[in-house]
Amino acid sequence: MGLNTQEMYLQGMSTSLPEDVQIEMMRSVPGLENVSVMRSAYAIEYDCINPTQLKLSLELREVEGLFTAGQINGTSGYEEAAAQGIIAGINAARKIKGLEPLVLDRSQAYIGVLIDDIVTKGTNEPYRMMTSRAEYRLLLRQDNADLRLTPIGYEVGLISEERYKKFEEKRRLIEEEIERVKRTNIAPTEKVINFLKKYNSTPIKSGVKLADLLRRPELDYETLGEIDENRPNLTFAVREQVSISIKYEGYIKRQMQQVEQFKKLEEKKLDKDIDYDEINGLRLEARQKLNKIKPESVGQASRISGVSPADISVLLVYLEQKRRQKS
Ligand SMILES: Cc1cc2nc3c(=O)[nH]c(=O)nc-3n(C[C@H](O)[C@H](O)[C@H](O)COP(=O)(O)OP(=O)(O)OC[C@H]3O[C@@H](n4cnc5c(N)ncnc54)[C@H](O)[C@@H]3O)c2cc1C
């Protein structure tokens, strides 16, 4: 659609039916009886593998050393292909070097959500990475992508010393400023009272911490500069992190507790040689699914459709028995 065109894009009218059928279909819609079709719809057909055949490293379970990424894994999209491409590339290189694969989990990155989804659940249609698929969205923000992922990039050798030094400096400034804002006392001086009045904020009768004022919805880090006498000169990126970290601290902490719970099950590793048919108490469907997917952890197992919380309890008991036998 546009100012200088009569054409309209028919969102949702995806089809690959023959051209005459498409025109008949369009003209059957009330209001479109006389519509002209400028370019007919078409479909691109391609083959893909079943992504449940992959490990979380994107290596095929049955073909050692073969890593796949992108559309061949049943996804669609530029970012989806790039996200898997970098992981498959990193892990192919690490395999040659005899290193453990890099697996990002669901709480660390959208890449982790994407790969876990396709490997654990498979997909019936081209998979797209929607933000709603991530359960830890308060942590997976674009403003903190560098804080989440630069240390990992550095560890695997993809971040230069120079860039990492700059990153560490930024992280240091953020931490120092958060500490300063939490420490700084604001006294109920005339200037402060006038400031609070100006922003329709409840007046203070005794001294409060600057962080407490920052948590008020009507105030923000930038405006608080008017009464924050010893504020250092910081870049926007640093100021933004300080502001978000303090303002939403309660919510972020709660989500981090959820992540800790999640990690407990992720850390319980399942050996790839386990034969689930031999575990008493697992339901038949769970046995079949677990044998097919071969999850790498109890956490991953819990996300397979058809594996119930009761099956997970059985798995936990089984692991505990194994651990005791060993020790
Ligand atoms: C018309 C169209 C519009 C699209 N629009 C968008 C969009 O707006 N936004 C979006 O996010 N996504 C869009 N997509 C989807 C997106 O382009 C793809 O999902 C993505 O590019 C897939 O990347 P890939 O690397 O997995 O595969 P490809 O980009 O298909 O790469 C596969 C490569 O392998 C090569 N190859 C194949 N066989 C062999 C062989 N035997 N030996 C050597 N090389 C071989 C191919 O030549 C190709 O270069 C669109 C796709 C189409 C077709």
Side-chain angles (χ1 to χ4, degrees):
M1 290 166 85
L3 280 178
N4 306 313
T5 175
Q6 293 259 39
E7 291 182 21
M8 287 189 196
Y9 178 75
L10 282 186
Q11 174 71 29
M13 259 304 198
S14 306
T15 170
S16 58
L17 288 166
E19 215 166 348
D20 59 315
V21 179
Q22 288 194 24
I23 293 173
E24 209 180 309
M25 181 165 77
M26 303 293 169
R27 292 190 176 154
S28 74
V29 176
L32 298 185
E33 291 84 354
N34 301 313
V35 76
S36 305
V37 174
M38 313 302 285
R39 283 173 297 279
S40 44
Y42 62 97
I44 307 276
E45 194 172 286
Y46 53 89
D47 295 325
C48 65
I49 62 157
N50 181 347
T52 60
Q53 296 172 319
L54 295 164
K55 298 183 198 172
L56 292 169
S57 61
L58 295 181
E59 183 182 19
L60 276 152
R61 274 203 311 272
E62 302 295 330
V63 190
E64 203 190 340
L66 181 60
F67 293 77
T68 58
Q71 213 161 261
I72 195 172
N73 287 350
T75 65
S76 179
Y78 307 153
E79 296 84 356
E80 287 79 357
Q84 294 167 70
I86 192 166
I87 295 294
I90 288 171
N91 283 334
R94 289 177 73 82
K95 175 118 191 167
I96 292 168
K97 291 179 173 171
L99 298 169
E100 283 294 305
L102 170 70
V103 174
L104 298 173
D105 73 40
R106 301 181 72 88
S107 69
Q108 287 176 303
Y110 276 97
I111 295 180
V113 176
L114 185 162
I115 295 177
D116 184 62
D117 274 350
I118 59 170
V119 170
T120 309
K121 299 190 187 127
T123 181
N124 290 325
E125 53 178 295
Y127 178 100
R128 295 236 58 175
M129 183 67 259
M130 261 91 73
T131 49
S132 58
R133 299 188 194 270
E135 47 281 74
Y136 307 114
R137 291 206 289 286
L138 275 186
L139 304 179
L140 301 188
R141 309 187 311 265
Q142 62 176 357
D143 61 80
N144 67 0
D146 61 341
L147 292 163
R148 288 185 280 116
L149 300 172
T150 303
I152 298 171
Y154 180 70
E155 232 179 274
V156 298
L158 288 175
I159 302 281
S160 67
E161 281 299 331
E162 187 194 353
R163 180 168 162 193
Y164 193 61
K165 281 217 174 84
K166 277 191 192 152
F167 164 78
E168 279 191 312
E169 175 66 4
K170 178 184 167 189
R171 191 163 58 179
R172 185 182 66 79
L173 290 171
I174 293 169
E175 282 164 11
E176 278 179 12
E177 179 61 355
I178 289 176
E179 279 313 303
R180 189 192 69 83
V181 172
K182 285 187 173 174
R183 240 187 7 245
T184 302
N185 268 316
I186 300 288
T189 59
E190 201 182 331
K191 187 178 174 190
V192 168
I193 289 168
N194 284 336
F195 166 85
L196 292 172
K197 224 182 243 166
K198 183 167 135 196
Y199 291 99
N200 286 326
S201 198
T202 316
I204 51 170
K205 293 198 178 73
S206 54
V208 294
K209 298 281 185 235
L210 184 57
D212 293 327
L213 292 181
L214 178 51
R215 287 195 189 101
R216 294 185 175 188
E218 65 279 9
L219 300 177
D220 61 43
Y221 184 83
E222 301 301 324
T223 46
L224 280 166
E226 294 174 33
I227 53 164
D228 182 11
E229 316 259 308
N230 299 316
R231 179 170 287 196
N233 196 7
L234 298 165
T235 62
F236 174 74
V238 172
R239 300 200 307 267
E240 187 188 30
Q241 282 313 300
V242 172
S243 176
I244 293 173
S245 301
I246 294 180
K247 228 176 175 32
Y248 304 105
E249 193 175 21
Y251 298 101
I252 293 172
K253 266 196 183 145
R254 202 182 307 159
Q255 188 134 96
M256 280 167 66
Q257 283 163 1
Q258 290 167 355
V259 168
E260 268 170 39
Q261 286 300 321
F262 152 81
K263 289 221 164 157
K264 275 188 193 150
L265 287 186
E266 296 306 296
E267 278 159 15
K268 293 204 186 309
K269 297 292 170 206
L270 292 168
D271 203 83
K272 68 177 185 339
D273 301 323
I274 296 176
D275 181 356
Y276 292 94
D277 282 329
E278 309 224 306
I279 302 181
N280 287 331
L282 280 180
R283 290 171 318 113
L284 182 64
E285 187 190 7
R287 285 177 195 199
Q288 287 171 344
K289 293 269 173 71
L290 288 164
N291 271 332
K292 184 173 161 228
I293 310 276
K294 293 274 181 202
E296 290 169 37
S297 66
V298 178
Q300 193 191 353
S302 72
R303 291 188 291 277
I304 298 173
S305 72
V307 176
S308 70
D311 297 316
I312 293 302
S313 303
V314 173
L315 270 185
L316 288 171
V317 171
Y318 166 82
L319 283 181
E320 183 58 21
Q321 279 171 348
K322 279 258 154 185
R323 193 186 64 80
R324 286 193 190 170
Q325 272 170 14
K326 250 192 200 161
S327 62

